């Protein structure tokens, strides 16, 4: 056999060995976690809590990079366009599957990403000023049917769409009042200038605990640990559920071996007792998954919130 022939036969095996070696060596340089939101939110905090144990286990720095703007679209595009080698990850919220209802996106919400694991789930809380008449979900429904146009404060994403879905499922007409964020909405909510808000538990909890706001219900599948005496919406309106949640993903085309390692290591980092406890104090529950599970969940959330938006006449811009 000629030297050229031997080299040709050896080339595929060498290529496979090189690829296997590259995957086995992952990570071989810093792994950045892009958070497409401003610092201080649950997604940002989750990324930073995960980064420390990941860096220790990998022996590589894990910097967290905030790339906020356009409800997460700007930073998410950075993730979509990165090399699919595992060295760029994203930590995004439920805004990812919700954004197609609002925007014409520069990427495909499913096709352009490799899904790694869910990270958290955080219920919303239906809250109102102390002087607002209804104190339960049943009373709110009755009041809204008698008084069409009950106003709700919305800040975008699920915080806007949850009351839209609530109105659709109860046959009530709720009027959307837009705000840039919870901080801007709370003074009007406390003063009764807007009737209700489906807010995140971490944002509303201090005002509920101080007595400035009252909680009518939470929107998770089960009662929130921080508000154990507050019933869920589903205890009155069967099947209603809305939550903010997070996930880790990467660009599409990630090698299977790298995906398997990322899933195992990210899940292990999230399940560390101190990470679970710090999330609990935030009002969030650590929830992990397989890549297939989080992809399927993302698809179901896209369908759920997309249908709610379409019925409400929301058109992607």
């Amino acid at each position: 056999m000629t030297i050229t022939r031997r080299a040709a036969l050896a080339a595929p095996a060498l290529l496979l060995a090189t690829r296997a070696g590259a995957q086995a060596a992952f990570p071989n340089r810093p792994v950045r976690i892009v958070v497409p939101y401003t610092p201080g939110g649950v997604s940002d905090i989750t990324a930073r809590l995960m980064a420390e144990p990941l860096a220790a286990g990998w022996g590589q720095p894990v910097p967290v990079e905030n790339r906020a703007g356009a409800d997460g679209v700007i930073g998410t595009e950075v993730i979509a366009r990165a090399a699919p080698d595992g060295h760029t990850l994203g930590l995004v919220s439920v805004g990812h599957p919700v954004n197609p209802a609002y925007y014409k996106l520069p990427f495909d919400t499913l096709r352009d990403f490799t899904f790694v694991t869910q990270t958290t789930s955080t219920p919303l809380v239906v809250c109102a000023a102390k002087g607002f008449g209804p104190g339960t979900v049943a009373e709110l429904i009755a009041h809204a049917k008698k008084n069409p146009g009950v106003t709700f404060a919305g800040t975008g994403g699920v915080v806007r769409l949850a009351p839209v879905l609530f109105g659709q499922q109860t046959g009530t007409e709720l009027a959307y009042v837009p705000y840039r964020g919870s901080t801007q909405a709370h003074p009007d909510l406390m003063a009764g200038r807007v009737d209700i808000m489906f807010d995140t538990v971490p944002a509303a909890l201090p005002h509920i605990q101080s007595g400035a706001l009252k909680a009518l219900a939470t929107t998770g599948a089960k009662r929130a640990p921080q508000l154990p005496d507050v019933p869920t919406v589903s205890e009155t309106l069967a099947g209603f559920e809305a939550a903010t949640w997070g996930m880790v993903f990467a660009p599409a085309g990630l090698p299977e071996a790298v995906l398997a390692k990322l899933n195992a290591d990210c899940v292990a980092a999230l399940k560390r007792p101190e990470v679970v406890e710090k999330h609990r104090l935030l009002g969030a529950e650590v929830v992990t998954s397989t890549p297939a599970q989080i992809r399927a969940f993302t698809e179901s959330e896209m369908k759920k919130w997309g249908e709610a938006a379409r019925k409400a006449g929301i058109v992607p811009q």
Side-chain angles (χ1 to χ4, degrees), residues 5-283:
R5 176 64 172 161
R6 288 196 192 101
L9 290 174
L14 179 61
L15 180 60
L16 288 173
T18 301
R19 287 177 178 170
Q23 290 181 13
F26 172 83
N28 52 33
R29 61 182 185 276
V31 177
R32 66 172 176 162
I33 302 178
V34 177
V35 178
Y37 318 111
T38 55
V42 174
S43 295
D44 178 67
I45 292 169
T46 300
R48 295 178 191 279
L49 289 173
M50 291 177 62
E52 184 176 345
L54 288 176
W58 290 340
Q60 294 287 347
V62 182
V64 176
E65 180 181 329
N66 296 93
R67 297 290 295 270
D71 286 343
V73 175
I74 291 173
T76 303
E77 186 176 12
V78 170
I79 303 157
R81 306 301 175 225
D85 57 12
H87 291 89
T88 296
L89 305 176
L91 206 154
V92 297
S93 73
V94 64
H96 183 70
V98 169
N99 275 341
Y102 292 110
Y103 303 110
K104 295 177 181 177
L105 300 170
F107 49 79
D108 186 280
T109 304
L110 296 172
R111 188 180 60 242
D112 289 340
F113 302 93
T114 300
F115 296 82
V116 178
T117 181
Q118 187 172 348
T119 57
T120 57
S121 181
T122 310
L124 307 179
V125 56
V126 186
C127 52
K130 290 186 295 182
F132 184 65
T136 66
V137 170
E139 291 172 0
L140 174 60
I141 294 170
H143 176 79
K145 286 185 175 179
K146 272 189 175 181
N147 304 277
V150 166
T151 55
F152 70 89
T155 59
V158 170
V159 172
R160 175 183 176 184
L161 287 179
V164 168
L165 183 63
F166 179 84
Q168 292 169 355
Q169 293 188 359
T170 58
T172 56
E173 294 179 19
L174 307 181
Y176 167 53
V177 182
Y179 290 87
R180 291 182 62 188
S182 295
T183 302
Q184 290 74 33
H186 288 160
D188 283 354
L189 189 63
M190 292 179 213
R193 289 188 286 270
V194 62
D195 294 320
I196 61 171
M197 185 174 186
F198 283 57
D199 204 0
T200 63
V201 169
L205 189 60
H207 302 300
I208 294 168
Q209 291 172 331
S210 73
L213 293 175
K214 66 179 179 181
L216 281 65
T218 55
T219 64
K222 56 187 179 183
R223 294 193 179 193
Q226 297 78 13
L227 296 166
D229 297 328
V230 178
T232 64
V233 173
S234 63
E235 289 176 47
T236 301
L237 184 62
F240 185 92
E241 186 176 347
T244 61
W245 49 268
M247 68 173 165
V248 176
F249 65 7
L254 198 68
E256 286 296 326
V258 175
L259 175 58
K261 180 172 178 57
L262 281 173
N263 176 265
D265 292 351
C266 287
V267 168
L270 287 162
K271 288 185 174 181
R272 289 169 68 96
E274 67 273 22
V275 174
V276 172
E277 176 60 14
K278 286 176 181 176
H279 278 97
R280 187 191 69 78
L281 294 173
L282 289 172

